[in-house]
Amino acid sequence: MPFEWGYQMTLMISVSGVRGLVGKTMTPTLAAEMGAAFGSHLGGGSVVIGRDSRQSGMMVQSALVGGLLATGCSAIELGIVTTPGTAMMIGVLKAAGGVVLTASHNPGEWNGIKFLTSAGIAPPPELAEKIFARFDAKDFLYVGPQQIGKRLEDNSTHVRHIEKVLPISNVDAIRKRRPRVVLDSVNGAGGIGGVMLLKELGCDVIPMNNEPNGQFAHTPEPTAENLVTLCEVVRREKADIGFAQDPDADRLAIVDETGRYIGEEYTVALVAKYLFAKTPGAAAVNLSTSRMIDDLAAKAGGGAKVHRTAVGEANVAKAIQDHRCVFGGEGNGGVIDPRVVMTRDSFVGMAHVLSLMATDGRPLSKIVDEIPRYVMVKQKFEMEPAKIKAWLERVRTISDGRVNDADGLRIDWAEGWVHVRPSNTEPIARVISEAGDEATAMRLAKRVAEMRG
Ligand code: MG
């Protein structure tokens, strides 16, 4: 029987790994078998393992390492580190692969296991399917006692990460201005390295929730409703900017000096504004990312160009490689700078946004207000995959817009766009629309939604 993607009880399986509820579906048995499946696939070599600050992290890690060692792989434990830090260490230590133990922005009851290839990126779908099929069939290649792998530790991730981010930052300009920065790390994995980086950049840092103890100080997804306190602290402390990381520190949200949450779409937009001006070239973003980046590319002129990819970090990373992009990212606050690591990285996001502010000189709110503003509307519809497919065929008949079918369908008109795509993990279709005002974004979405039959 072919392997089936999707929800299995509360175990969520997708190309980016598994996520489960601790004590229910995220168990030591699962973790050990995931380790054994990955190790059997690799057939030896060393594997770096990073975990976010969740209280279940050591339980999952211990079991997973057992599974890896049993297949002859060595395990290099990095401790509580960020997802981009783990990905970066694969290259530094020339490992055969990596595993990140995180449920990203999901609450503390969850944990997840995410595999990374030797290139530090998520395995492509066909490879992920092979690993999960091996897990499903319990097809593990255990070795004898002489060949059992070694367990090692390495605690240099934060320092090495910062060493890679500093040279791509405008350190002199930032140090001269000494910006006052509030960093909310939600007691996740990003606090220690994040504060170290900001101090190295010469910022006056006000850390918030920077104990990596897994006791998330608020619902961890860095959205407006979860960052009310950060906005207050930025205002009270008269800071120049507030940053919020998610628990594994790949995503970054921003609050301006007035205490306004400006939204995760602006993270990649602000980085685009800085990098398009500094290093004219191409960028890669997914199809659901705001049109702001196209406007910024058009305004920058020169070689500035935007490639659109299917949703998912691995797709963006591939496009960055294929088109030799200067940077890439996703609208959820994830920025990739290939000079550091091919993974979304909140450290990279902070460094570039601070470099932009330091070279521009104006307060962040002024820089933000100059970027064309759009309203994005997100909807989802519960639907069986076959019905979504039929719907997409009808949407494809729209003839007055520009169609991109790299992932579901995105239709672009002069006044805005709509992107319809099936979820990889649930029987739902997501509809995202964007236009200059809410009424237009709603109208465009409605036009497409009405075609679902
Ligand atoms: Mg994350």
Side-chain angles (χ1 to χ4, degrees), residues 82-84 104-105 158 161 182-198 207-210 216 218-223 226-227 230 242-254 261 264 332-333 345-350:
T82 63
T83 290
S104 191
H105 58 271
H158 296 318
H161 194 180
V182 185
L183 174 63
D184 179 353
S185 306
V186 70
N187 293 332
I192 304 293
V195 171
M196 276 165 69
L197 170 68
L198 293 172
M208 258 178 86
N209 309 319
N210 75 325
F216 299 145
H218 51 75
T219 309
E221 189 162 25
T223 52
N226 299 331
L227 299 176
L230 172 63
F243 288 125
Q245 296 168 306
D246 75 332
D248 64 319
D250 55 352
R251 284 168 64 175
L252 181 75
I254 301 173
Y261 173 88
E264 286 186 287
N332 61 4
D345 186 348
S346 63
F347 289 22
V348 161
M350 290 194 284

Side-chain angles (χ1 to χ4, degrees), residues 115-128:
F115 300 128
L116 297 170
T117 68
S118 58
I121 55 174
E126 58 280 8
L127 189 59

